[in-house]
Amino acid sequence: MLEQARLHVAEGRLGKNDAYGTFPTDPIAVHLLYIKPELTPNEIYCGAYRRLKYSVVADYYGYPAWIVALHDAIFYGLPLAESLDWHIQIAETIVAYGERADWRKAFHRSHIGLLSMALEAIPSTCVDRAAQRDAVRRVATLHEIALEGGTLSRTEWNEAAEVALAQSYFITYPVNGLNHAGREAARAAHCSAQWFSDEKDGLAHLEPVRTLDAADCAACASAYVVRHGVEWSHKLPILQAEWHPGEPVLPFVENVIAYEKACSEEYDAAESAFEMALITNYQKIRDLTLSAIRDAASG
């Protein structure tokens, strides 16, 4: 795996322009093609391997599919140069610690970290979001119990998932960054609570996808809080002037233009802040994943 990862980077086979009908540059799809070189792009993108690729790569190299899914999510969340480093870094870490790692502990540690990030995205000062915070804490507590070796029923996980799902649809107005943050945090908890799967259910391929979704939602939740700070940091000029027939139209037009310009600049600044926050969050998830693997190998 490490040899292949280094080769992928050296040969320039990885990128973020992975699109249907082209030779895959997705990091997991590239690993998959080494394992099953007979696959066509159509089979990878639209066939069974669209969802099974995580499990196939994990089974071949001997580590959990949820790590493969995080590998994918983090790769796309980082700037390209860091993504290429990450592709090798995760392989090096698995080679160094994989044989000694307790993957069950690594899994629950990772999800506790993801939910901590999600919880931080719901400001404690927002009284109307207490139910969202409680939903995230509930799932995090279940992971903490599981980490310590406690036995939990599928019903307990299902109930926590349902509560979080309900909170992911909670809407308050105006719809702003804090609103989005709370909903994404609840979505992260919902995905995290649905980690289990049984082969007999035919849903084993969803287990790594749920971890990937939990990571993406947690990253977005924190980024929305940052965007909200920019959205509401400026006082936009209020359009109060009204034009009446016979009056000069220029002052009214200038006021409209100034208002639209301020809105556009504020929107651009908010989007830029959101993108930068996403990168920071995926860097945190990268470090969290590596730390969880190392810690699981040391006991």
Side-chain angles (χ1 to χ4, degrees), residues 36-106:
K36 293 184 174 292
E38 72 278 8
L39 292 179
T40 66
N42 186 66
E43 289 174 314
I44 292 173
Y45 291 106
C46 298
Y49 288 96
R50 182 173 68 90
R51 287 189 176 273
L52 289 176
K53 62 182 181 180
Y54 302 118
S55 297
V56 172
V57 172
D59 291 344
Y60 185 83
Y61 286 121
Y63 66 107
W66 62 269
I67 290 282
V68 186
L70 283 179
H71 180 171
D72 208 17
I74 295 166
F75 182 90
Y76 282 102
L78 297 175
L80 183 57
E82 289 187 50
S83 297
L84 298 179
D85 290 340
W86 159 249
H87 187 65
I88 295 175
Q89 191 176 23
I90 184 62
E92 290 175 335
T93 302
I94 292 170
V95 168
Y97 298 96
E99 290 186 359
R100 294 180 285 116
D102 182 332
W103 292 114
R104 177 189 61 83
K105 289 186 176 181

Side-chain angles (χ1 to χ4, degrees), residues 112-126 129 132-133 136-137 178 181-182 185-186 188 218-226 280-281 284:
I112 290 169
L114 292 175
L115 294 178
S116 176
M117 178 183 293
L119 190 60
E120 290 174 358
I122 311 177
S124 59
T125 53
C126 295
R129 301 191 187 281
Q132 288 178 331
R133 290 194 295 274
V136 177
R137 287 196 189 100
L178 291 182
C220 284
S222 295
Y224 274 125
V225 172
V226 173
T280 299
N281 290 337
K284 291 179 180 177

Side-chain angles (χ1 to χ4, degrees), residues 98-294:
E99 290 186 359
R100 294 180 285 116
D102 182 332
W103 292 114
R104 177 189 61 83
K105 289 186 176 181
F107 175 83
H108 292 297
R109 281 194 175 111
S110 294
H111 277 256
I112 290 169
L114 292 175
L115 294 178
S116 176
M117 178 183 293
L119 190 60
E120 290 174 358
I122 311 177
S124 59
T125 53
C126 295
V127 177
D128 61 344
R129 301 191 187 281
Q132 288 178 331
R133 290 194 295 274
D134 290 343
V136 177
R137 287 196 189 100
R138 180 173 179 174
V139 178
T141 298
L142 293 182
H143 281 291
E144 289 168 358
I145 293 172
L147 177 62
E148 296 302 318
T151 301
L152 297 164
S153 68
R154 171 171 284 202
T155 299
E156 290 176 280
W157 289 104
N158 276 335
E159 289 176 349
E162 289 173 5
V163 170
L165 179 63
Q167 288 302 316
S168 72
Y169 288 107
F170 177 74
I171 300 175
T172 57
Y173 295 94
V175 178
N176 53 39
L178 291 182
N179 194 329
H180 288 306
R183 295 177 67 184
E184 287 297 310
R187 283 187 60 205
H190 169 67
C191 295
S192 179
Q194 289 192 307
W195 64 270
F196 51 77
S197 60
D198 292 333
E199 292 289 348
K200 65 182 180 181
D201 295 337
L203 298 175
H205 64 279
L206 291 178
E207 182 177 320
V209 175
R210 286 162 178 154
T211 297
L212 181 150
D213 289 343
D216 287 340
C217 291
C220 284
S222 295
Y224 274 125
V225 172
V226 173
R227 192 178 82 170
H228 177 79
V230 177
E231 284 175 343
W232 301 98
S233 62
H234 305 102
K235 185 177 179 180
L236 296 179
I238 299 175
L239 185 59
Q240 295 177 329
E242 294 183 11
W243 179 77
H244 301 283
E247 294 181 354
V249 72
L250 185 58
F252 175 77
V253 172
E254 288 177 342
N255 195 15
V256 171
I257 292 174
Y259 179 81
E260 293 298 328
K261 183 174 182 291
C263 285
S264 177
E265 289 175 349
E266 190 165 87
Y267 175 81
D268 290 343
E271 287 302 302
S272 177
F274 179 78
E275 294 299 327
M276 292 302 297
L278 271 182
I279 291 173
T280 299
N281 290 337
Y282 280 107
Q283 290 169 336
K284 291 179 180 177
I285 295 173
R286 173 197 61 198
D287 297 342
L288 166 67
T289 302
L290 297 175
S291 175
I293 295 173
R294 290 193 294 264

